[in-house]
Amino acid sequence: MGSVLGSLKDIYAGSASRPTEYVIALMPGDGIGPELTAATLRVLNTVSEKFGIPLKINRVEAGDNAMSKYGEALPDESLKSIKKSHACLKAPVGETSADVIVKLRMMFDLFANIRPVKAYPNTQSLRSDIDMVVVRENTEDLYKGLEFALGNNTTVALRVITYDASIRIADVAFKLALGRKKKVTAVHKSNVLKTTCGLFARCCREVAQKYPNISYEESYVDACAANLVRKPHTFDVIVTTNMFGDILSDEAAQVAGSLGLAPSCNLGYNYAIFEPIHGAAFDIAGKNIANPISMILSAALMFEWLGAKYNDGRCIKASESINSAVYETLKEGKSLTPDLGGVARTDEVALSVVTKLT
Ligand code: ATP
């Protein structure tokens, strides 16, 4: 995957001193979550040993299982544990996902959802040269949860788009582009959603003025959806509002090979949560066939962030090592899960990655 978060350092890397051990809140989630978590834990333990990174892994219960056990999707104990950690590595959560991740995003002001999408060998990606990042605003839009029923048969949802949130997410996109192919595509639908998307587009244009070396374009969301299939290699950084980003990043990940390869980072000024972009995939849960790479690459992103935040070369090395072990596993083509056209099991993929960590 290569460095993703490096050019965003001035957003999250303050003067915090390096801890003696990194406390990681590990959330196994629902559906395929526990299988992905077991696979990723093997990778965490191996890099911890290999690179001498002291890790304290605290499991946190959240999601559908927590809801049926405690009556709450995000129990107080879990929240406390997350607050005490240096980072959270999260598996997908099922039906209660809005009560967990959407709440955590708001609570920790994790305003930027960074979703790198890259083509790997042997993955049935549409093209081999796909390499983009979808930057999704993470705190507002229709996901603010302002939905109402007006009587039995009429419902209303409020779409919140603000100047401040739009400016800060656009700035993340331009900063990211500086360290990449230097192109930003702002995606909206301002011809129809004239007020909300109109404001978002205006903010992106305003930020674009500050980055004269970045090529800037705009696209309506429907055209962008088509172009992600037609010419995915032409995108570098896409910046967009919360719901459009949710949808387009799933599409981009599938075009690049599989949802099962796509990691993400929910980034704020002080904290970050790393998770696969996909959901709990109940249709394949418990069968040991889910692709764990999305969560393993999320762990790589987490180490990259820890390394930059605490100026810790060991974490940077761990991140690079995980990224190249994933690349080598896919290039070898022996350990491919069914979503990539193979027959490998989740734990076989984990083993392959672990043996390639150097
Ligand atoms: P959400 O809205 O929470 O993102 P969703 O209902 O859109 O969830 P997902 O759970 O993301 O759906 O899964 C969509 C499909 O993608 C699943 O049915 C599954 O076949 C496939 N899929 C998702 N993740 C993986 C994975 N890690 N490995 C293999 N297949 C996966």
Side-chain angles (χ1 to χ4, degrees):
M1 183 74 50
S3 166
V4 176
L5 303 172
S7 55
L8 300 180
K9 259 194 225 173
D10 64 323
I11 293 177
Y12 62 86
S15 53
S17 55
R18 188 186 297 180
T20 49
E21 66 178 1
Y22 292 104
V23 181
I24 308 299
L26 183 66
M27 191 188 292
D30 305 310
I32 59 172
E35 295 160 73
L36 266 49
T37 302
T40 307
L41 198 49
R42 295 173 77 166
V43 174
L44 292 181
N45 288 334
T46 308
V47 292
S48 164
E49 216 170 275
K50 266 206 156 69
F51 299 100
I53 306 169
L55 292 182
K56 184 168 191 304
I57 312 276
N58 288 338
R59 282 176 178 266
V60 292
E61 291 183 278
D64 301 357
N65 288 327
M67 177 63 115
S68 50
K69 217 162 141 189
Y70 308 108
E72 273 180 300
L74 186 59
D76 273 355
E77 272 309 299
S78 302
L79 201 50
K80 270 189 212 150
S81 187
I82 293 170
K83 281 184 179 156
K84 278 195 236 149
S85 69
H86 293 101
C88 175
L89 183 57
K90 177 190 161 295
V93 161
E95 293 307 313
T96 51
S97 134
D99 300 320
V100 179
I101 189 62
V102 177
K103 198 165 165 189
L104 288 171
R105 285 170 182 158
M106 307 282 174
M107 208 174 258
F108 290 95
D109 196 20
L110 306 176
F111 62 89
N113 195 332
I114 317 264
R115 300 184 152 194
V117 173
K118 195 171 153 54
Y120 287 91
N122 294 316
T123 58
Q124 302 173 335
S125 62
L126 280 192
R127 296 180 58 110
S128 60
D129 52 357
I130 299 170
D131 184 2
M132 71 180 99
V133 182
V134 179
V135 176
R136 163 187 172 195
E137 203 290 322
N138 222 9
T139 62
E140 49 184 31
D141 195 358
L142 283 167
Y143 290 4
K144 200 89 183 161
L146 302 174
E147 282 196 296
F148 311 95
L150 303 176
N152 269 345
N153 299 321
T154 304
T155 51
V156 174
L158 295 183
R159 183 168 200 242
V160 179
I161 302 288
T162 65
Y163 176 86
D164 287 352
S166 303
I167 290 280
R168 74 177 175 173
I169 199 66
D171 197 55
V172 166
F174 280 90
K175 282 197 170 78
L176 263 181
L178 281 178
R180 297 176 43 88
K181 293 181 276 176
K182 300 193 169 45
K183 179 178 172 190
V184 170
T185 308
V187 177
H188 53 77
K189 187 75 182 171
S190 67
N191 52 339
V192 178
L193 301 169
K194 291 188 167 61
T195 308
T196 50
C197 274
L199 174 59
F200 182 77
R202 171 159 70 82
C203 291
C204 291
R205 279 171 219 146
E206 188 178 318
V207 174
Q209 300 291 316
K210 293 194 208 140
Y211 293 87
N213 297 330
I214 303 287
S215 139
Y216 175 68
E217 64 177 18
E218 292 179 21
S219 171
Y220 293 136
V221 63
D222 40 358
C224 180
N227 284 331
L228 277 172
V229 175
R230 199 162 70 93
K231 42 179 188 173
H233 58 295
T234 62
F235 290 98
D236 180 17
V237 177
I238 288 177
V239 62
T240 189
T241 46
N242 202 340
M243 192 172 79
F244 293 161
D246 191 8
I247 298 166
L248 291 178
S249 55
D250 268 32
E251 183 194 356
Q254 193 56 53
V255 164
S258 170
L259 278 176
L261 296 168
S264 79
C265 165
N266 297 275
L267 184 76
Y269 298 114
N270 300 307
Y271 193 70
I273 297 181
F274 302 84
E275 60 173 346
I277 72 163
H278 57 76
F282 288 106
D283 55 332
I284 55 168
K287 298 181 179 161
N288 196 20
I289 57 167
N291 191 341
I293 289 178
S294 54
M295 190 155 169
I296 292 173
L297 287 176
S298 299
L301 272 181
M302 179 185 78
F303 280 114
E304 190 193 343
W305 179 81
L306 287 171
K309 184 170 172 70
Y310 297 104
N311 198 19
D312 190 339
R314 299 170 304 178
C315 293
I316 299 291
K317 275 198 197 129
S319 170
E320 289 167 356
S321 175
I322 297 171
N323 282 325
S324 53
V326 165
Y327 181 84
E328 291 305 323
T329 292
L330 293 168
K331 193 170 145 213
E332 191 181 60
K334 287 188 199 151
S335 304
L336 303 176
T337 40
D339 56 308
L340 302 178
V343 292
R345 308 267 139 187
T346 309
D347 51 359
E348 288 169 35
V349 178
L351 183 64
S352 172
V353 172
V354 162
T355 54
K356 291 175 176 56
L357 290 166
T358 48

